[in-house]
């Protein structure tokens, strides 16, 4: 019998969100080409918006897979996925004006819950089928992070009343100054108090200067910002949380890191060594309180990792850092589609499948855990 497969990293841009992006002229925005036969373009990263690039060639093409739930369900069937935990993709609501953020968060989260309810009811009207016998949807809620912290806290608490919401997704800027910002403490407290999982996802990457000469990112497309910028952004954000004592003050906080935690599993030992030798911390004779819990403890007690790393070596590092019981399958759909219409299976998905089987070799139980059982347990998917 095939194992249960749960996709915890899969995105959707609801139609209302797409319309909002169409009405914008600054990043992020959607451009509709003059040729109606061509699909819209999503300009999502600052590096996409180079004036030297013709408008109809900026960003990436976005077809119905970005917003049509029927296309999402077809993708799931094509790849044997039983359950998807959908979430709004970056940049979420970070760019929304503060006075509008609460309204947009409420609208999008209510729409996500209603979409999940409609799909689940259609698949199983009498609620008698097991999770692995139907295509089921749950969701991660979006937060109004441009608004004051108390507005964010209220939305976190409200999400617990929506039956299909299983956590929240957010980026690395927090309320605008990073995840070590003390103003986020009420948000961390609310997430801990409500036992809500936070799915941390990168968006802002690294400045273009980090990659070398001006124009280098344009020359190589999305490879540098996505392959390197995103993972390092995640690593830096979580390390700042650790250094500022977030995990000391909120020891029950639960965080799912995109892309297997960036480079965190591989660099954890180096980070820990640098902390132990940092003279500014009390442990080194200084006068600044450093983190009291080790990064290894946090990795094994607070952090979960998705398996979107596309290789055996990366998965081995993730398992060593956090454990196979904390690793969860994901696809990053609808990003990284096949580059030709002849391809039906998405290489980004099949590569992940192959990497998971290669990483665990003959450990069938571990493979089943990573593919779905861990997510079903951690997210209480029923």
């Amino acid at each position: 019998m095939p194992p249960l497969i749960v996709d915890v990293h899969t995105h959707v841009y609801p139609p209302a969100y797409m319309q909002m992006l169409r009405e914008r002229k600054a990043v992020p925005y959607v451009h509709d080409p003059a040729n109606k036969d061509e699909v819209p373009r999503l300009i999502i990263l600052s590096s996409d918006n180079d004036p030297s690039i013709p408008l109809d060639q900026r960003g990436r093409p976005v077809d119905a897979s970005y917003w049509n739930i029927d296309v999402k369900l077809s993708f799931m069937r094509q790849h044997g996925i039983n359950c998807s935990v959908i979430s709004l993709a970056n940049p979420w609501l970070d760019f929304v004006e503060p006075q509008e953020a609460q309204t947009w968060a409420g609208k999008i989260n209510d729409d996500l819950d209603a979409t999940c309810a409609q799909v689940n009811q259609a698949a199983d009207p009498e609620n008698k089928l097991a999770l692995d016998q139907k295509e089921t949807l749950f969701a991660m809620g979006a937060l109004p992070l441009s608004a004051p912290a108390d507005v964010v806290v209220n939305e976190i608490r409200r999400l617990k009343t929506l039956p299909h919401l299983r956590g929240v997704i957010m980026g690395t800027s927090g309320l605008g100054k990073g995840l070590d910002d003390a103003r986020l403490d009420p948000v961390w407290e609310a997430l801990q108090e409500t036992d809500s999982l936070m799915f941390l996802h990168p968006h802002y990457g690294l400045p273009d200067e980090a990659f070398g000469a001006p124009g280098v990112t344009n020359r190589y497309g999305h490879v540098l910002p996505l392959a390197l910028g995103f993972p390092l952004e995640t690593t830096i954000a979580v390390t700042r949380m650790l250094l500022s004592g977030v995990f000391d003050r909120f020891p029950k906080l639960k965080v799912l890191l995109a892309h297997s935690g960036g480079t965190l599993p591989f660099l954890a030992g180096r980070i820990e060594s640098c902390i132990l030798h940092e003279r500014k911390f009390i442990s080194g004779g200084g006068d600044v309180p450093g983190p009291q819990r080790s990064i290894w403890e946090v990795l094994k007690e607070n952090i979960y990792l998705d398996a979107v790393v596309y290789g055996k070596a990366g998965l081995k590092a993730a398992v060593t850092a956090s454990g196979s019981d904390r690793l969860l399958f994901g696809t990053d759909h609808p990003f990284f589609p096949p580059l030709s219409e002849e391809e039906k299976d998405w290489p980004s998905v099949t590569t992940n499948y192959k990497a998971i089987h290669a990483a665990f070799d003959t450990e069938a139980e571990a493979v089943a855990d990573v593919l779905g059982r861990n997510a079903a347990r951690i997210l209480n998917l029923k």
Side-chain angles (χ1 to χ4, degrees):
M1 182 177 180
L4 168 70
I5 298 180
V6 178
D7 183 356
V8 301
H9 188 158
T10 179
H11 300 297
V12 64
Y13 288 97
Y17 188 80
M18 286 291 293
Q19 184 57 39
M20 176 172 63
L21 293 178
R22 279 188 163 97
E23 294 171 358
R24 292 174 52 83
K25 300 301 181 185
V27 177
Y29 65 97
V30 166
H31 169 69
D32 288 304
N35 184 349
K36 299 303 180 183
D37 292 332
E38 297 182 10
V39 297
R41 309 285 300 192
L42 173 65
I43 294 83
I44 190 175
L45 302 174
S46 59
S47 59
D48 293 338
N49 203 38
D50 189 324
S52 67
I53 303 173
L55 196 54
D56 285 2
Q57 297 175 22
R58 294 183 197 175
R60 67 181 72 220
V62 286
D63 58 18
S65 63
Y66 282 74
W67 64 82
N68 189 315
I69 291 299
D70 288 334
V71 177
K72 177 79 70 180
L73 294 172
S74 177
F75 166 84
M76 291 170 62
R77 286 189 287 271
Q78 174 71 24
H79 296 89
I81 297 166
N82 306 108
C83 177
S84 287
V85 186
I86 57 177
S87 56
L88 186 65
N90 49 307
W92 315 284
L93 300 174
D94 290 6
F95 60 92
V96 176
E97 293 297 325
Q99 63 271 22
E100 299 176 358
Q102 183 176 10
T103 300
W104 273 105
K107 176 178 177 56
I108 286 173
N109 292 332
D110 288 345
D111 284 353
L112 288 173
D113 186 63
T115 296
C116 294
Q118 182 178 7
V119 168
N120 296 352
Q121 175 65 19
D124 186 8
E126 298 181 3
N127 196 28
K128 291 183 178 179
L129 298 178
L131 194 62
D132 60 356
Q133 296 175 315
K134 54 188 176 181
E135 280 87 34
T136 306
L137 296 182
F138 292 90
M140 297 283 189
L143 295 179
L145 288 170
S146 62
D150 62 323
V151 174
V152 182
V153 167
N154 288 339
E155 185 63 14
I156 290 171
R157 290 177 176 154
R158 192 184 76 88
L159 289 174
K160 297 299 287 189
T161 69
L162 302 181
H164 300 91
L165 273 291
R166 287 298 184 271
V168 303
I169 185 169
M170 64 185 288
T172 62
S173 68
L175 299 176
K177 295 186 177 180
L179 301 187
D180 54 353
D181 184 355
R183 297 179 303 156
L184 277 169
D185 275 11
V187 175
W188 305 139
E189 183 176 9
L191 290 170
Q192 178 174 266
E193 177 188 311
T194 58
D195 193 31
S196 298
L197 179 69
M198 179 187 79
F199 180 22
L200 180 62
H201 193 292
H203 169 72
Y204 300 95
L206 300 179
D208 288 349
E209 294 78 14
F211 300 114
V216 70
T217 52
N218 289 342
R219 189 160 68 247
Y220 302 124
H222 288 107
V223 174
L224 290 171
L226 294 186
L228 302 181
F230 269 28
L232 288 169
E233 176 189 343
T234 301
T235 306
I236 292 167
V238 179
T239 304
R240 287 173 63 178
M241 290 176 70
L242 178 77
L243 293 173
S244 65
V246 169
F247 296 109
D248 296 328
R249 297 192 299 279
F250 306 99
K252 301 298 182 183
L253 185 64
K254 299 192 302 185
V255 183
L256 169 63
L257 301 182
H259 315 127
S260 286
T263 62
L264 188 67
F266 181 78
L267 293 178
R270 182 173 178 82
I271 293 168
E272 183 72 5
S273 177
C274 289
I275 289 172
L276 293 175
H277 290 87
E278 178 50 58
R279 296 183 182 278
K280 284 185 176 294
F281 295 155
I282 290 176
S283 59
D287 56 2
V288 179
Q292 302 304 298
R293 298 173 64 203
S294 77
I295 192 168
W296 299 112
E297 181 182 347
V298 169
L299 277 165
K300 294 185 182 298
E301 296 183 7
N302 299 90
I303 287 176
Y304 302 92
L305 304 172
D306 76 17
V308 185
V309 71
Y310 308 112
K312 178 180 177 180
L315 286 174
K316 284 291 190 180
V319 169
T320 300
S322 288
S324 61
D325 61 332
R326 307 178 76 81
L327 192 61
L328 293 77
F329 174 75
T331 66
D332 216 345
H333 182 263
F335 298 96
F336 306 105
L339 295 179
S340 70
E341 294 183 0
E342 289 73 28
E343 286 185 278
K344 299 303 180 184
D345 289 339
W346 289 41
S348 56
V349 179
T350 56
T351 301
N352 270 345
Y353 279 141
K354 291 175 183 176
I356 290 169
H357 283 280
F360 295 101
D361 196 14
T362 59
E363 301 174 60
E365 292 300 306
V367 170
D369 287 341
V370 173
L371 289 178
R373 292 194 307 212
N374 288 342
R377 167 179 53 83
I378 293 163
L379 296 173
N380 190 27
L381 303 179
K382 295 181 180 179

